[in-house]
Every structure is written in C-alpha cells, then in structure tokens.
Amino acid sequence: MTSSQGTSLRTDEVCAQIKHIGFAASKRVRIYGEEFEVLSDPFPSANGIAIHVRSQRTSETRVLQLPA
C-alpha cells in the first residue's frame, strides 16, 4: 500500500494501525451510517483492507471494506 504522501507501508503495518484505532475484534464501530460488531481483526483483501462484521440492524455477517 502507498499513502497519499508517497511513503510505502507494509500491509501488516497498515492492519496494525487500523486495529489500534478501534477496528479490532469484539469492538463496535459506526461506519457508512450503520453500526457493526467487529468479528475479526483487519486483513488484506483484493481492494485494500477489510474486516468481518455483523450488522446490528440486520444481524447479517459480511466482509466490510474499509475506506483508504
């Protein structure tokens, strides 16, 4: 991954930073106008970084792509 400043970060470092700011297993987050229970730590996906979540509104489990 490359940040907008042009510095390169390893994917595991990015995942660790995202986990540190609150996107870690057993946490609750509000993103995209919905509240989710985080079921996994951040992991690399084809389009960046994602997490497994459960929607508090529908109880649906899914993979949630995190914004860059």
Side-chain angles (χ1 to χ4, degrees):
M1 292 194 113
T2 304
S3 71
S4 60
Q5 290 82 20
T7 59
S8 180
L9 291 175
R10 292 183 8 196
T11 303
D12 58 339
E13 292 171 334
V14 173
C15 288
Q17 289 176 354
I18 292 170
K19 182 178 175 180
H20 180 74
I21 62 171
F23 289 88
S26 301
K27 299 280 187 173
R28 295 189 189 276
V29 296
R30 184 168 186 82
I31 188 169
Y32 304 126
E34 190 173 345
E35 190 167 324
F36 297 96
E37 175 186 1
V38 181
L39 303 175
S40 72
D41 287 336
F43 58 90
S45 72
N47 298 319
I49 305 295
I51 52 177
H52 287 101
V53 296
R54 179 179 297 122
S55 169
Q56 295 299 300
R57 184 172 42 99
T58 65
S59 297
E60 175 186 359
T61 300
R62 66 184 204 201
V63 174
L64 182 69
Q65 195 69 36
L66 297 176

